[in-house]
Amino acid sequence: MVLLISFTIPSLASANSNKPIIVGSKSFTESKTVSEIYAIALEHAGYKVTRKQNISNSVVYKAVQTGQIDVYPEYTGTIVEAYLKKNGSGKTSAQMAKIASNGVKKDGLVTFNYAPGDNRQAIGIRTSVAKKYNIKSLSDLQKSAKKVRFVSQGEFDKRSDGLPGMNKKYGKFNFKSSKDYDDSLKYKILAQGKGDVAPVYTTDGQLATNKYQVLKDDKNLWPPYNLVPLLNKKAAKSHPKMEKTLNKVDAKLTTKELTQLNKKVDVDGQNYKTVARNWYNKNMK
C-alpha cells in the first residue's frame, strides 16, 4: 500500500502540471491587457495556456475558486473590500496585500507578490483648471469647489466611499455645479469643457496625456488597489514556475506603466493583445 501511494502521487502531480493554465480577465482594458501579459509570460516559461477573457466582475472570484480559471489579475483593494468585506481605509499597500493574502486562503486561493501599480479611486481634474485655481489636492479642491463643475456618475454621489466619504473626510464640497453622466463619457465631457473634475481611477489611460491630472488624496480617504495575481491554490501548486514568472512581470507593472498600457488601447486605439506583446518583448526579454 505504501509503495502504491508513493508512485501514485507523483503521477497525479505530473498530470496536473501538464494541463493548460487557464488565464482569465475581467472585461475592462487593464485587466485584459495584464491578463494577456501573464499568458505570454507563462507560455515563455514553458506552460500551455488557455485564455478566458471578459469574465463578469460578479462571478470572476467564484470562477477562480472553483477552478474554472486558474489565475487572473485582481487588486488588493477589491479583494479586501469587495470579497472579504473589510475596510481598507488608511491601510498601506503592504497591509492591504497581507490582509488579502491571508483572507483568500479560506477559499482555496493564493496571491503572489503585488505590483507597484496602484489603480485606486481618485479625483481627476483638467490641468488648465488645476493651474488656474492652484488645485493640487483634495483639500485644495474642497476650498475651491464653488469655482469648479463636478462630473459625476450618479452612484458616486451616494457611495460611502464616494462623495459622502469626501464630504466627511474633507468637509462639504459645494461645487459650482454637479451633473450625472455615464461613466464612459466622463473624459469626453471634460475634453469638451462641460465639466472640470470627475471621479477617475489612477491608471486611466487618459491620465497619461497632459490634459488631466490626479489630485492628491492628502487625507488618505481611498485605500491602495495594487495589482496582484489571484490564483487557485491547486493550480499554483501544480505549476511551480508560475510564482517566479508572474512576480517578475508584476515587479515592472508600475502605476505609470499601467497608465501607458491603458493609453495605448483606450486613447491610441491599439489592440490590447498587440499592446501586451509589445510590452512583454520590450520589458521581459
Side-chain angles (χ1 to χ4, degrees), residues 18-79:
N18 288 329
K19 289 183 177 180
I21 297 173
I22 306 172
V23 181
S25 84
K26 297 181 182 179
S27 58
F28 59 94
T29 295
E30 184 167 295
S31 185
K32 291 191 290 184
T33 306
V34 173
S35 173
E36 182 63 17
I37 293 173
Y38 284 179
I40 295 169
L42 291 169
E43 286 173 336
H44 276 83
Y47 291 118
K48 296 178 181 177
V49 174
T50 298
R51 294 157 170 81
K52 285 190 177 181
Q53 307 285 10
N54 297 311
I55 302 172
S56 169
N57 287 4
S58 61
V59 300
V60 67
Y61 187 85
K62 192 71 174 178
V64 71
Q65 186 181 0
T66 57
Q68 295 176 66
I69 58 173
D70 295 320
V71 57
Y72 76 99
E74 190 47 276
Y75 300 90
T76 56
T78 302
I79 294 172

CSV table of all heavy atoms in Angstrom, one decimal, residues 18-79:
chain,number,residue,atom,x,y,z
A,18,ASN,N,0.8,19.2,-16.5
A,18,ASN,CA,0.7,19.3,-18.0
A,18,ASN,C,-0.6,19.9,-18.5
A,18,ASN,O,-0.7,20.1,-19.7
A,18,ASN,CB,0.9,17.8,-18.6
A,18,ASN,CG,2.3,17.3,-18.4
A,18,ASN,OD1,3.3,18.1,-18.5
A,18,ASN,ND2,2.5,16.0,-18.2
A,19,LYS,N,-1.5,20.1,-17.6
A,19,LYS,CA,-2.8,20.7,-18.1
A,19,LYS,C,-2.5,22.2,-18.4
A,19,LYS,O,-1.7,22.9,-17.8
A,19,LYS,CB,-3.8,20.7,-17.0
A,19,LYS,CG,-4.4,19.3,-16.7
A,19,LYS,CD,-5.4,19.3,-15.6
A,19,LYS,CE,-6.1,18.0,-15.4
A,19,LYS,NZ,-7.1,18.0,-14.3
A,20,PRO,N,-3.2,22.7,-19.4
A,20,PRO,CA,-3.0,24.2,-19.7
A,20,PRO,C,-3.4,25.0,-18.5
A,20,PRO,O,-4.4,24.7,-17.8
A,20,PRO,CB,-4.0,24.4,-20.9
A,20,PRO,CG,-4.2,23.0,-21.5
A,20,PRO,CD,-4.1,22.1,-20.3
A,21,ILE,N,-2.7,26.1,-18.3
A,21,ILE,CA,-3.1,27.1,-17.3
A,21,ILE,C,-4.2,28.0,-17.9
A,21,ILE,O,-4.0,28.6,-19.0
A,21,ILE,CB,-1.9,27.9,-16.9
A,21,ILE,CG1,-0.8,27.0,-16.2
A,21,ILE,CG2,-2.3,29.0,-15.9
A,21,ILE,CD1,0.5,27.8,-16.0
A,22,ILE,N,-5.3,28.1,-17.2
A,22,ILE,CA,-6.4,28.9,-17.7
A,22,ILE,C,-6.2,30.3,-17.1
A,22,ILE,O,-6.4,30.5,-15.9
A,22,ILE,CB,-7.7,28.3,-17.3
A,22,ILE,CG1,-7.8,26.9,-17.8
A,22,ILE,CG2,-8.9,29.2,-17.9
A,22,ILE,CD1,-9.1,26.1,-17.3
A,23,VAL,N,-5.9,31.3,-17.9
A,23,VAL,CA,-5.7,32.6,-17.5
A,23,VAL,C,-6.9,33.5,-17.9
A,23,VAL,O,-7.3,33.5,-19.0
A,23,VAL,CB,-4.4,33.3,-18.2
A,23,VAL,CG1,-4.2,34.7,-17.7
A,23,VAL,CG2,-3.2,32.4,-17.9
A,24,GLY,N,-7.5,34.1,-16.9
A,24,GLY,CA,-8.7,34.8,-17.1
A,24,GLY,C,-8.5,36.3,-16.9
A,24,GLY,O,-7.5,36.8,-16.6
A,25,SER,N,-9.6,37.1,-17.2
A,25,SER,CA,-9.6,38.5,-17.0
A,25,SER,C,-11.0,39.0,-16.8
A,25,SER,O,-12.0,38.4,-17.2
A,25,SER,CB,-9.0,39.2,-18.2
A,25,SER,OG,-9.9,39.4,-19.3
A,26,LYS,N,-11.1,40.2,-16.3
A,26,LYS,CA,-12.4,40.9,-16.3
A,26,LYS,C,-12.6,41.6,-17.6
A,26,LYS,O,-11.8,41.4,-18.5
A,26,LYS,CB,-12.4,41.9,-15.1
A,26,LYS,CG,-12.3,41.3,-13.7
A,26,LYS,CD,-12.3,42.3,-12.6
A,26,LYS,CE,-12.2,41.7,-11.3
A,26,LYS,NZ,-12.2,42.7,-10.2
A,27,SER,N,-13.6,42.4,-17.7
A,27,SER,CA,-14.0,42.9,-19.1
A,27,SER,C,-13.4,44.3,-19.4
A,27,SER,O,-13.8,44.9,-20.4
A,27,SER,CB,-15.5,42.9,-19.2
A,27,SER,OG,-16.1,43.7,-18.2
A,28,PHE,N,-12.6,44.9,-18.5
A,28,PHE,CA,-12.1,46.2,-18.9
A,28,PHE,C,-10.6,46.1,-19.3
A,28,PHE,O,-9.9,45.1,-19.2
A,28,PHE,CB,-12.2,47.1,-17.7
A,28,PHE,CG,-11.5,46.7,-16.4
A,28,PHE,CD1,-10.2,47.1,-16.1
A,28,PHE,CD2,-12.1,45.8,-15.5
A,28,PHE,CE1,-9.5,46.7,-15.0
A,28,PHE,CE2,-11.5,45.4,-14.3
A,28,PHE,CZ,-10.2,45.9,-14.1
A,29,THR,N,-10.2,47.2,-20.0
A,29,THR,CA,-8.9,47.2,-20.7
A,29,THR,C,-7.7,46.7,-19.9
A,29,THR,O,-6.9,45.9,-20.3
A,29,THR,CB,-8.6,48.6,-21.2
A,29,THR,OG1,-9.6,49.0,-22.2
A,29,THR,CG2,-7.2,48.7,-21.8
A,30,GLU,N,-7.5,47.3,-18.7
A,30,GLU,CA,-6.3,46.9,-17.9
A,30,GLU,C,-6.3,45.5,-17.5
A,30,GLU,O,-5.3,44.8,-17.6
A,30,GLU,CB,-6.3,47.8,-16.6
A,30,GLU,CG,-5.1,47.6,-15.8
A,30,GLU,CD,-4.9,48.6,-14.7
A,30,GLU,OE1,-4.7,49.8,-15.1
A,30,GLU,OE2,-5.0,48.3,-13.5
A,31,SER,N,-7.4,44.9,-17.2
A,31,SER,CA,-7.5,43.5,-16.8
A,31,SER,C,-7.2,42.6,-18.0
A,31,SER,O,-6.4,41.7,-17.9
A,31,SER,CB,-8.9,43.2,-16.3
A,31,SER,OG,-8.9,41.8,-15.8
A,32,LYS,N,-7.7,42.9,-19.2
A,32,LYS,CA,-7.5,42.1,-20.4
A,32,LYS,C,-6.0,42.2,-20.8
A,32,LYS,O,-5.4,41.2,-21.2
A,32,LYS,CB,-8.4,42.6,-21.5
A,32,LYS,CG,-9.9,42.2,-21.3
A,32,LYS,CD,-10.7,42.5,-22.5
A,32,LYS,CE,-10.8,43.9,-22.9
A,32,LYS,NZ,-11.8,44.1,-24.0
A,33,THR,N,-5.4,43.4,-20.7
A,33,THR,CA,-4.1,43.6,-21.2
A,33,THR,C,-3.1,42.9,-20.3
A,33,THR,O,-2.2,42.2,-20.7
A,33,THR,CB,-3.7,45.1,-21.2
A,33,THR,OG1,-4.7,45.8,-22.1
A,33,THR,CG2,-2.3,45.3,-21.8
A,34,VAL,N,-3.3,43.1,-18.9
A,34,VAL,CA,-2.4,42.4,-18.0
A,34,VAL,C,-2.5,40.9,-18.0
A,34,VAL,O,-1.6,40.1,-18.0
A,34,VAL,CB,-2.6,42.9,-16.6
A,34,VAL,CG1,-1.8,42.1,-15.5
A,34,VAL,CG2,-2.2,44.4,-16.5
A,35,SER,N,-3.8,40.5,-18.2
A,35,SER,CA,-4.0,39.0,-18.4
A,35,SER,C,-3.3,38.4,-19.5
A,35,SER,O,-2.7,37.4,-19.5
A,35,SER,CB,-5.5,38.8,-18.5
A,35,SER,OG,-5.8,37.4,-18.8
A,36,GLU,N,-3.3,39.2,-20.6
A,36,GLU,CA,-2.5,38.7,-21.8
A,36,GLU,C,-1.0,38.7,-21.6
A,36,GLU,O,-0.3,37.8,-22.0
A,36,GLU,CB,-2.9,39.6,-23.0
A,36,GLU,CG,-2.2,39.2,-24.3
A,36,GLU,CD,-2.6,37.9,-24.9
A,36,GLU,OE1,-3.7,37.3,-24.4
A,36,GLU,OE2,-1.9,37.3,-25.7
A,37,ILE,N,-0.5,39.7,-20.8
A,37,ILE,CA,0.9,39.7,-20.5
A,37,ILE,C,1.2,38.5,-19.6
A,37,ILE,O,2.2,37.8,-19.8
A,37,ILE,CB,1.3,41.0,-19.7
A,37,ILE,CG1,1.2,42.2,-20.6
A,37,ILE,CG2,2.7,40.9,-19.1
A,37,ILE,CD1,1.4,43.5,-19.9
A,38,TYR,N,0.3,38.2,-18.6
A,38,TYR,CA,0.5,36.9,-17.8
A,38,TYR,C,0.6,35.7,-18.7
A,38,TYR,O,1.4,34.8,-18.6
A,38,TYR,CB,-0.7,36.8,-16.9
A,38,TYR,CG,-0.7,37.7,-15.6
A,38,TYR,CD1,-1.7,37.6,-14.7
A,38,TYR,CD2,0.4,38.6,-15.4
A,38,TYR,CE1,-1.7,38.4,-13.6
A,38,TYR,CE2,0.3,39.4,-14.3
A,38,TYR,CZ,-0.7,39.3,-13.4
A,38,TYR,OH,-0.7,40.0,-12.2
A,39,ALA,N,-0.4,35.6,-19.7
A,39,ALA,CA,-0.4,34.5,-20.6
A,39,ALA,C,0.8,34.3,-21.4
A,39,ALA,O,1.4,33.2,-21.5
A,39,ALA,CB,-1.6,34.6,-21.5
A,40,ILE,N,1.3,35.4,-21.9
A,40,ILE,CA,2.6,35.4,-22.7
A,40,ILE,C,3.7,34.9,-21.9
A,40,ILE,O,4.6,34.1,-22.3
A,40,ILE,CB,2.8,36.7,-23.4
A,40,ILE,CG1,1.7,37.1,-24.4
A,40,ILE,CG2,4.2,36.8,-24.1
A,40,ILE,CD1,1.8,38.5,-24.9
A,41,ALA,N,3.8,35.5,-20.7
A,41,ALA,CA,4.9,35.1,-19.8
A,41,ALA,C,4.9,33.7,-19.4
A,41,ALA,O,6.0,33.0,-19.4
A,41,ALA,CB,4.9,36.0,-18.5
A,42,LEU,N,3.7,33.1,-19.1
A,42,LEU,CA,3.6,31.7,-18.8
A,42,LEU,C,4.0,30.8,-20.0
A,42,LEU,O,4.6,29.8,-19.8
A,42,LEU,CB,2.2,31.4,-18.3
A,42,LEU,CG,1.9,32.1,-16.9
A,42,LEU,CD1,0.4,32.0,-16.6
A,42,LEU,CD2,2.7,31.4,-15.8
A,43,GLU,N,3.6,31.3,-21.1
A,43,GLU,CA,4.0,30.5,-22.3
A,43,GLU,C,5.5,30.5,-22.5
A,43,GLU,O,6.1,29.4,-22.9
A,43,GLU,CB,3.3,31.1,-23.6
A,43,GLU,CG,1.8,30.8,-23.6
A,43,GLU,CD,1.1,31.5,-24.8
A,43,GLU,OE1,1.5,32.5,-25.2
A,43,GLU,OE2,0.0,31.0,-25.2
A,44,HIS,N,6.1,31.6,-22.3
A,44,HIS,CA,7.6,31.6,-22.4
A,44,HIS,C,8.3,30.8,-21.3
A,44,HIS,O,9.4,30.4,-21.5
A,44,HIS,CB,8.1,33.1,-22.3
A,44,HIS,CG,8.0,33.8,-23.7
A,44,HIS,ND1,6.9,34.4,-24.2
A,44,HIS,CD2,9.0,34.0,-24.6
A,44,HIS,CE1,7.1,34.9,-25.3
A,44,HIS,NE2,8.4,34.7,-25.6
A,45,ALA,N,7.5,30.6,-20.2
A,45,ALA,CA,8.1,29.7,-19.1
A,45,ALA,C,7.9,28.3,-19.4
A,45,ALA,O,8.3,27.4,-18.6
A,45,ALA,CB,7.4,30.1,-17.8
A,46,GLY,N,7.2,28.0,-20.5
A,46,GLY,CA,7.1,26.6,-21.0
A,46,GLY,C,5.7,26.0,-20.7
A,46,GLY,O,5.5,24.8,-21.0
A,47,TYR,N,4.8,26.8,-20.3
A,47,TYR,CA,3.4,26.2,-20.0
A,47,TYR,C,2.5,26.4,-21.2
A,47,TYR,O,2.7,27.4,-22.0
A,47,TYR,CB,2.8,27.0,-18.8
A,47,TYR,CG,3.5,26.7,-17.5
A,47,TYR,CD1,4.1,27.7,-16.7
A,47,TYR,CD2,3.5,25.4,-16.9
A,47,TYR,CE1,4.7,27.4,-15.5
A,47,TYR,CE2,4.0,25.1,-15.7
A,47,TYR,CZ,4.6,26.1,-15.0
A,47,TYR,OH,5.2,25.9,-13.8
A,48,LYS,N,1.6,25.5,-21.3
A,48,LYS,CA,0.5,25.7,-22.2
A,48,LYS,C,-0.6,26.6,-21.6
A,48,LYS,O,-0.8,26.5,-20.3
A,48,LYS,CB,-0.2,24.3,-22.6
A,48,LYS,CG,0.8,23.4,-23.3
A,48,LYS,CD,0.1,22.1,-23.6
A,48,LYS,CE,1.0,21.1,-24.3
A,48,LYS,NZ,0.3,19.8,-24.5
A,49,VAL,N,-1.2,27.5,-22.3
A,49,VAL,CA,-2.1,28.5,-21.7
A,49,VAL,C,-3.4,28.5,-22.5
A,49,VAL,O,-3.4,28.5,-23.7
A,49,VAL,CB,-1.5,29.9,-21.7
A,49,VAL,CG1,-2.5,30.9,-21.2
A,49,VAL,CG2,-0.2,29.9,-20.8
A,50,THR,N,-4.5,28.5,-21.8
A,50,THR,CA,-5.8,28.8,-22.3
A,50,THR,C,-6.3,30.1,-21.8
A,50,THR,O,-6.2,30.4,-20.6
A,50,THR,CB,-6.8,27.7,-22.0
A,50,THR,OG1,-6.4,26.4,-22.5
A,50,THR,CG2,-8.2,28.0,-22.5
A,51,ARG,N,-6.8,31.0,-22.7
A,51,ARG,CA,-7.3,32.3,-22.3
A,51,ARG,C,-8.8,32.4,-22.1
A,51,ARG,O,-9.5,31.9,-23.0
A,51,ARG,CB,-6.8,33.4,-23.3
A,51,ARG,CG,-5.3,33.5,-23.3
A,51,ARG,CD,-4.9,34.1,-24.6
A,51,ARG,NE,-3.5,34.6,-24.7
A,51,ARG,CZ,-2.5,33.7,-24.9
A,51,ARG,NH1,-2.7,32.4,-25.1
A,51,ARG,NH2,-1.2,34.2,-25.0
A,52,LYS,N,-9.3,33.0,-21.1
A,52,LYS,CA,-10.7,33.2,-20.9
A,52,LYS,C,-10.9,34.7,-20.5
A,52,LYS,O,-10.7,35.1,-19.3
A,52,LYS,CB,-11.3,32.3,-19.8
A,52,LYS,CG,-11.5,30.9,-20.3
A,52,LYS,CD,-12.3,30.1,-19.2
A,52,LYS,CE,-12.6,28.7,-19.7
A,52,LYS,NZ,-13.4,27.9,-18.7
A,53,GLN,N,-11.3,35.5,-21.4
A,53,GLN,CA,-11.4,37.0,-21.2
A,53,GLN,C,-12.8,37.4,-20.9
A,53,GLN,O,-13.7,36.6,-21.1
A,53,GLN,CB,-10.8,37.7,-22.4
A,53,GLN,CG,-9.4,37.3,-22.9
A,53,GLN,CD,-8.3,37.9,-22.0
A,53,GLN,OE1,-8.6,38.4,-21.0
A,53,GLN,NE2,-7.1,37.7,-22.5
A,54,ASN,N,-12.9,38.6,-20.5
A,54,ASN,CA,-14.2,39.3,-20.3
A,54,ASN,C,-15.2,38.6,-19.3
A,54,ASN,O,-16.4,38.5,-19.6
A,54,ASN,CB,-14.9,39.4,-21.7
A,54,ASN,CG,-14.1,40.3,-22.6
A,54,ASN,OD1,-13.7,41.4,-22.2
A,54,ASN,ND2,-13.9,39.9,-23.8
A,55,ILE,N,-14.6,38.1,-18.2
A,55,ILE,CA,-15.5,37.5,-17.2
A,55,ILE,C,-16.1,38.6,-16.3
A,55,ILE,O,-15.5,39.6,-16.0
A,55,ILE,CB,-14.6,36.5,-16.3
A,55,ILE,CG1,-13.9,35.5,-17.2
A,55,ILE,CG2,-15.5,35.9,-15.2
A,55,ILE,CD1,-12.9,34.6,-16.4
A,56,SER,N,-17.4,38.4,-16.0
A,56,SER,CA,-18.1,39.4,-15.2
A,56,SER,C,-17.5,39.6,-13.9
A,56,SER,O,-17.1,38.6,-13.2
A,56,SER,CB,-19.6,39.0,-15.1
A,56,SER,OG,-20.2,39.8,-14.2
A,57,ASN,N,-17.5,40.8,-13.4
A,57,ASN,CA,-17.0,41.1,-12.0
A,57,ASN,C,-17.7,40.3,-11.0
A,57,ASN,O,-17.1,39.9,-10.0
A,57,ASN,CB,-17.2,42.6,-11.7
A,57,ASN,CG,-16.2,43.5,-12.5
A,57,ASN,OD1,-15.4,43.0,-13.3
A,57,ASN,ND2,-16.3,44.7,-12.2
A,58,SER,N,-19.0,40.0,-11.2
A,58,SER,CA,-19.8,39.3,-10.2
A,58,SER,C,-19.5,37.8,-10.0
A,58,SER,O,-19.8,37.2,-9.0
A,58,SER,CB,-21.3,39.5,-10.5
A,58,SER,OG,-21.6,38.9,-11.7
A,59,VAL,N,-18.8,37.2,-11.0
A,59,VAL,CA,-18.5,35.8,-11.0
A,59,VAL,C,-17.1,35.4,-11.1
A,59,VAL,O,-16.7,34.2,-10.9
A,59,VAL,CB,-19.3,35.1,-12.1
A,59,VAL,CG1,-20.8,35.3,-12.0
A,59,VAL,CG2,-18.8,35.5,-13.5
A,60,VAL,N,-16.2,36.4,-11.3
A,60,VAL,CA,-14.8,36.0,-11.6
A,60,VAL,C,-14.1,35.4,-10.3
A,60,VAL,O,-13.3,34.5,-10.4
A,60,VAL,CB,-14.0,37.3,-12.1
A,60,VAL,CG1,-13.9,38.3,-11.0
A,60,VAL,CG2,-12.6,36.8,-12.6
A,61,TYR,N,-14.4,35.9,-9.1
A,61,TYR,CA,-13.8,35.3,-7.9
A,61,TYR,C,-14.3,33.9,-7.7
A,61,TYR,O,-13.5,33.0,-7.4
A,61,TYR,CB,-14.3,36.2,-6.7
A,61,TYR,CG,-13.6,35.8,-5.4
A,61,TYR,CD1,-12.3,36.3,-5.1
A,61,TYR,CD2,-14.2,34.9,-4.5
A,61,TYR,CE1,-11.7,36.0,-3.9
A,61,TYR,CE2,-13.5,34.6,-3.3
A,61,TYR,CZ,-12.3,35.1,-3.0
A,61,TYR,OH,-11.7,34.8,-1.8
A,62,LYS,N,-15.5,33.6,-8.0
A,62,LYS,CA,-16.0,32.3,-7.9
A,62,LYS,C,-15.4,31.4,-9.0
A,62,LYS,O,-15.2,30.2,-8.7
A,62,LYS,CB,-17.6,32.3,-8.1
A,62,LYS,CG,-18.2,30.9,-7.7
A,62,LYS,CD,-18.2,30.7,-6.2
A,62,LYS,CE,-19.0,29.5,-5.8
A,62,LYS,NZ,-18.9,29.2,-4.4
A,63,ALA,N,-15.1,31.9,-10.1
A,63,ALA,CA,-14.6,31.2,-11.2
A,63,ALA,C,-13.2,30.6,-10.9
A,63,ALA,O,-12.8,29.5,-11.2
A,63,ALA,CB,-14.5,32.0,-12.5
A,64,VAL,N,-12.4,31.5,-10.2
A,64,VAL,CA,-11.0,31.0,-9.8
A,64,VAL,C,-11.1,30.1,-8.6
A,64,VAL,O,-10.3,29.2,-8.5
A,64,VAL,CB,-10.1,32.2,-9.6
A,64,VAL,CG1,-10.4,33.0,-8.3
A,64,VAL,CG2,-8.6,31.7,-9.6
A,65,GLN,N,-12.1,30.3,-7.8
A,65,GLN,CA,-12.3,29.5,-6.6
A,65,GLN,C,-12.6,28.1,-7.0
A,65,GLN,O,-12.2,27.1,-6.4
A,65,GLN,CB,-13.3,30.1,-5.7
A,65,GLN,CG,-13.5,29.4,-4.4
A,65,GLN,CD,-14.6,30.0,-3.5
A,65,GLN,OE1,-15.2,31.0,-3.9
A,65,GLN,NE2,-14.8,29.5,-2.3
A,66,THR,N,-13.5,27.9,-8.0
A,66,THR,CA,-14.0,26.6,-8.4
A,66,THR,C,-13.1,26.0,-9.5
A,66,THR,O,-13.4,24.9,-10.0
A,66,THR,CB,-15.4,26.7,-9.0
A,66,THR,OG1,-15.4,27.7,-10.0
A,66,THR,CG2,-16.4,27.2,-7.9
A,67,GLY,N,-12.0,26.7,-9.9
A,67,GLY,CA,-11.1,26.1,-10.9
A,67,GLY,C,-11.5,26.3,-12.3
A,67,GLY,O,-10.9,25.7,-13.2
A,68,GLN,N,-12.5,27.1,-12.6
A,68,GLN,CA,-12.9,27.4,-14.0
A,68,GLN,C,-11.8,28.2,-14.7
A,68,GLN,O,-11.7,28.1,-15.9
A,68,GLN,CB,-14.3,28.1,-14.0
A,68,GLN,CG,-15.4,27.2,-13.5
A,68,GLN,CD,-16.7,28.0,-13.5
A,68,GLN,OE1,-17.2,28.4,-14.5
A,68,GLN,NE2,-17.2,28.3,-12.3
A,69,ILE,N,-11.1,29.0,-13.9
A,69,ILE,CA,-9.9,29.6,-14.3
A,69,ILE,C,-8.8,29.4,-13.2
A,69,ILE,O,-9.2,29.1,-12.1
A,69,ILE,CB,-10.0,31.1,-14.6
A,69,ILE,CG1,-10.6,31.9,-13.3
A,69,ILE,CG2,-10.9,31.4,-15.8
A,69,ILE,CD1,-10.6,33.4,-13.5
A,70,ASP,N,-7.6,29.5,-13.6
A,70,ASP,CA,-6.5,29.2,-12.6
A,70,ASP,C,-5.9,30.5,-12.0
A,70,ASP,O,-5.5,30.5,-10.9
A,70,ASP,CB,-5.4,28.4,-13.3
A,70,ASP,CG,-5.8,27.1,-13.7
A,70,ASP,OD1,-6.6,26.4,-13.0
A,70,ASP,OD2,-5.4,26.6,-14.8
A,71,VAL,N,-5.9,31.6,-12.8
A,71,VAL,CA,-5.3,32.8,-12.4
A,71,VAL,C,-5.9,34.0,-13.1
A,71,VAL,O,-6.3,33.8,-14.3
A,71,VAL,CB,-3.8,32.8,-12.5
A,71,VAL,CG1,-3.4,32.5,-14.0
A,71,VAL,CG2,-3.1,34.1,-12.1
A,72,TYR,N,-6.0,35.1,-12.5
A,72,TYR,CA,-6.4,36.4,-13.2
A,72,TYR,C,-5.8,37.6,-12.4
A,72,TYR,O,-5.6,37.5,-11.2
A,72,TYR,CB,-7.9,36.5,-13.4
A,72,TYR,CG,-8.7,36.9,-12.2
A,72,TYR,CD1,-9.1,38.2,-12.0
A,72,TYR,CD2,-9.0,35.9,-11.2
A,72,TYR,CE1,-9.8,38.5,-10.8
A,72,TYR,CE2,-9.7,36.3,-10.1
A,72,TYR,CZ,-10.2,37.6,-9.9
A,72,TYR,OH,-10.9,38.0,-8.8
A,73,PRO,N,-5.6,38.7,-13.1
A,73,PRO,CA,-5.2,39.9,-12.4
A,73,PRO,C,-6.3,40.6,-11.6
A,73,PRO,O,-7.3,40.9,-12.1
A,73,PRO,CB,-4.7,40.8,-13.5
A,73,PRO,CG,-5.4,40.3,-14.7
A,73,PRO,CD,-5.7,38.9,-14.5
A,74,GLU,N,-6.0,40.7,-10.3
A,74,GLU,CA,-7.0,41.3,-9.4
A,74,GLU,C,-6.4,42.5,-8.7
A,74,GLU,O,-5.2,42.8,-9.0
A,74,GLU,CB,-7.5,40.2,-8.4
A,74,GLU,CG,-8.7,40.6,-7.5
A,74,GLU,CD,-9.9,41.3,-8.2
A,74,GLU,OE1,-9.8,42.5,-8.4
A,74,GLU,OE2,-10.8,40.6,-8.6
A,75,TYR,N,-7.0,43.1,-7.7
A,75,TYR,CA,-6.5,44.2,-7.0
A,75,TYR,C,-6.6,43.9,-5.5
A,75,TYR,O,-7.7,43.4,-5.0
A,75,TYR,CB,-7.2,45.5,-7.4
A,75,TYR,CG,-7.1,45.8,-8.8
A,75,TYR,CD1,-8.0,45.3,-9.7
A,75,TYR,CD2,-6.0,46.5,-9.3
A,75,TYR,CE1,-7.9,45.6,-11.1
A,75,TYR,CE2,-5.8,46.8,-10.7
A,75,TYR,CZ,-6.8,46.3,-11.6
A,75,TYR,OH,-6.6,46.5,-12.9
A,76,THR,N,-5.6,44.3,-4.7
A,76,THR,CA,-5.7,44.1,-3.3
A,76,THR,C,-6.9,44.7,-2.7
A,76,THR,O,-7.5,44.2,-1.8
A,76,THR,CB,-4.4,44.6,-2.6
A,76,THR,OG1,-4.2,46.0,-2.9
A,76,THR,CG2,-3.2,43.8,-3.1
A,77,GLY,N,-7.2,46.0,-3.1
A,77,GLY,CA,-8.3,46.7,-2.6
A,77,GLY,C,-9.7,46.0,-2.8
A,77,GLY,O,-10.6,46.0,-2.0
A,78,THR,N,-9.8,45.4,-4.0
A,78,THR,CA,-11.0,44.7,-4.4
A,78,THR,C,-11.2,43.5,-3.5
A,78,THR,O,-12.3,43.2,-3.1
A,78,THR,CB,-11.0,44.3,-5.9
A,78,THR,OG1,-10.8,45.5,-6.7
A,78,THR,CG2,-12.3,43.6,-6.3
A,79,ILE,N,-10.1,42.7,-3.3
A,79,ILE,CA,-10.1,41.5,-2.5
A,79,ILE,C,-10.6,41.9,-1.1
A,79,ILE,O,-11.5,41.3,-0.5
A,79,ILE,CB,-8.8,40.8,-2.5
A,79,ILE,CG1,-8.4,40.3,-3.9
A,79,ILE,CG2,-8.8,39.7,-1.5
A,79,ILE,CD1,-7.0,39.7,-4.0
